[in-house]
Amino acid sequence: LLVQNYDPSTLITGIQPAWSLVIELVFYLALPVLVLAALMLTRQTKTRTQRVLALLFPAALMAAIGISSLILGPHYTQDLNTWQAVWYFSFLTHAHLFAPGLALAVARIEYEDGRFRLPSRWRPAAAVAAAAVAVTALWLFGEEAVPAATASALIALSFGAFVALVV
């Protein structure tokens, strides 16, 4: 049923990586609402810039939810049988990881419609920057210099750049 993330006694039971499927399921259930909100906002716009900002609303909202949940909520605990762990493994604390993909979708549509152009050599620069951010995040996490949530956010940004290279 994919509800194991909502009770400390069932968190991380069964197939352990399934906790992330619950988060993805919530995102895909929320996605139509996010799209409708963006469409409603675009109807109120008068300029192209306002339209793009309205379309970026879902990405901004997801980033705000995820980052604020990590800052304001309880932090990670090794004890997985607590409500603190349920919070940490919730959609709220991972929402920001969907923001780069949502923003990339808007950028791609703008690009396809001829309204967004990048410099001719952006791909090599983006690849180097994305690799540098990913390696740095992994190194900092390995050295325990940053929390796992920070490393995950940096890796999500770098992977968003890698995806941008191919789409």
Side-chain angles (χ1 to χ4, degrees):
L1 293 176
L2 295 176
V3 294
Q4 69 269 21
N5 283 27
Y6 303 109
D7 186 330
S9 66
T10 59
L11 186 64
I12 314 294
T13 58
I15 302 170
Q16 290 193 354
W19 69 268
S20 68
L21 295 176
V22 176
I23 291 169
E24 291 175 43
L25 177 64
V26 172
F27 170 72
Y28 288 117
L29 290 173
L31 188 58
V33 175
L34 293 169
V35 169
L36 287 174
L39 290 175
M40 289 173 53
L41 288 172
T42 60
R43 289 186 182 150
Q44 300 172 17
T45 63
K46 293 183 177 28
T47 67
R48 177 177 165 254
T49 301
Q50 289 174 338
R51 180 180 160 271
V52 170
L53 290 174
L55 292 172
L56 287 171
F57 169 76
L61 179 64
M62 298 302 279
I65 289 170
I67 293 168
S68 62
S69 294
L70 288 170
I71 292 170
L72 301 174
H75 296 289
Y76 180 73
T77 176
Q78 295 290 335
D79 184 5
L80 298 178
N81 292 323
T82 65
W83 286 105
Q84 185 177 356
V86 169
W87 174 264
Y88 184 79
F89 286 97
S90 74
F91 171 75
L92 296 174
T93 58
H94 292 82
H96 62 289
L97 301 177
F98 295 97
L102 289 167
L104 180 59
V106 173
R108 180 64 187 188
I109 296 300
E110 289 294 303
Y111 177 80
E112 286 177 358
D113 290 348
R115 294 186 295 251
F116 178 64
R117 293 284 174 239
L118 292 166
S120 61
R121 297 182 190 249
W122 77 272
R123 288 181 191 270
V128 169
V133 169
V135 168
T136 302
L138 291 171
W139 178 77
L140 289 171
F141 178 68
E143 295 292 317
E144 297 182 1
V146 296
T150 303
S152 293
L154 291 172
I155 291 171
L157 286 173
S158 67
F159 278 46
F162 281 127
V163 170
L165 294 173
V166 295
V167 293

